[in-house]
Amino acid sequence: MKTKEAVIKKVKWYKDKRILVYLMGFFIILIMIASVLNIGEKEEKQKYNNYVFTKTERGWLTYVNNQAIMFNYLPQELEDITIPSLNLNSKKVYILIDPEEITIQDYNIQRLIYTLRYLNINTFLACSKETNCPDIPIIDCSNPNFVFYFKLSNETKTYKENNCLILEGNNDGQLMLVERLNYALFGII
């Protein structure tokens, strides 16, 4: 009688499912740790005057008086935009809109309001006419207080008219104007 001896075949390591599962798990954990630690990505930074701008997923981050401030554009991208001199010494500053063109919830308007209030400037909303205007004042550029007037236009420009600084442009153009204005208000440009 012949005895059957068990033949043990040695399975190559790359064919063993258990080892492959462990290797894949280790690889996934390694990728997760690397992404959390930002390994492999070089942080993009730009310097302008005494400010360092760091590229983030939401835009360009810099610090003004130890406060983090986000921008969509770098200052050098907006240097060519001229902002007339600002006299913000009045007790009130208005942000004026035509309610048939722009809403008070507009991102650009809210961004300017945030900056002005951060700088402790009393800021109020107003309409240029009553049609579709919520319960806020109706004013024009003859108002004794300083006024930022948002107007929709195909041409992007700023100019002064009486006590108004008029920010004219389409939505993207107004974003650039507000960003440039914010740089001026923070003293970066």
Side-chain angles (χ1 to χ4, degrees):
M1 239 194 210
K2 290 185 180 179
T3 48
K4 290 187 178 180
E5 291 184 29
V7 177
I8 300 175
K9 273 185 158 181
K10 192 168 184 176
V11 178
K12 297 190 182 206
W13 69 271
Y14 54 87
K15 290 188 177 179
D16 187 352
K17 287 182 182 179
R18 191 173 43 172
I19 291 175
L20 287 177
V21 168
Y22 288 134
L23 285 174
M24 286 177 57
F26 177 74
F27 182 69
I28 290 171
I29 290 171
L30 189 64
I31 288 173
M32 290 171 63
I33 291 171
S35 68
V36 168
L37 297 177
N38 220 6
I39 295 174
E41 282 187 39
K42 191 172 183 180
E43 201 171 62
E44 186 178 349
K45 293 186 180 221
Q46 297 278 329
K47 191 169 183 182
Y48 186 87
N49 292 336
N50 294 325
Y51 297 92
V52 175
F53 292 85
T54 305
K55 180 75 169 165
T56 70
E57 291 178 3
R58 293 178 34 218
W60 292 95
L61 173 70
T62 194
Y63 289 87
V64 177
N65 299 324
N66 294 322
Q67 176 73 33
I69 307 290
M70 291 295 299
F71 290 96
N72 294 297
Y73 296 94
L74 287 168
Q76 50 268 43
E77 295 176 289
L78 304 174
E79 284 177 327
D80 293 340
I81 297 173
T82 304
I83 299 290
S85 63
L86 304 175
N87 178 16
L88 302 178
N89 295 331
S90 59
K91 293 184 183 208
K92 292 181 182 178
V93 170
Y94 283 100
I95 294 182
L96 181 61
I97 62 163
D98 178 341
E100 292 181 337
E101 292 181 351
I102 302 172
T103 68
I104 58 176
Q105 292 87 14
D106 182 83
Y107 172 76
N108 297 321
I109 291 168
Q110 294 303 315
R111 188 141 168 79
L112 182 57
I113 289 171
Y114 171 81
T115 300
L116 293 169
R117 289 187 178 160
Y118 172 81
L119 296 170
N120 294 316
I121 298 171
N122 291 324
T123 308
F124 301 92
L125 292 165
C127 290
S128 61
K129 54 184 161 188
E130 284 191 45
T131 309
N132 296 330
C133 184
D135 191 21
I136 57 178
I138 308 298
I139 65 168
D140 60 24
C141 291
S142 65
N143 188 288
N145 300 295
F146 194 84
V147 178
F148 293 98
Y149 189 0
F150 283 81
K151 285 186 174 182
L152 282 180
S153 171
N154 291 330
E155 184 181 356
T156 301
K157 61 184 176 178
T158 61
Y159 56 96
K160 284 186 88 171
E161 183 180 296
N162 297 326
N163 284 336
C164 284
L165 175 62
I166 299 174
L167 305 162
E168 199 170 296
N170 61 20
N171 196 44
D172 292 335
Q174 286 182 353
L175 174 61
M176 293 173 72
L177 295 175
V178 168
E179 290 268 304
R180 174 61 177 88
L181 184 58
N182 284 345
Y183 278 127
L185 292 168
F186 284 121
I188 296 172
I189 296 181

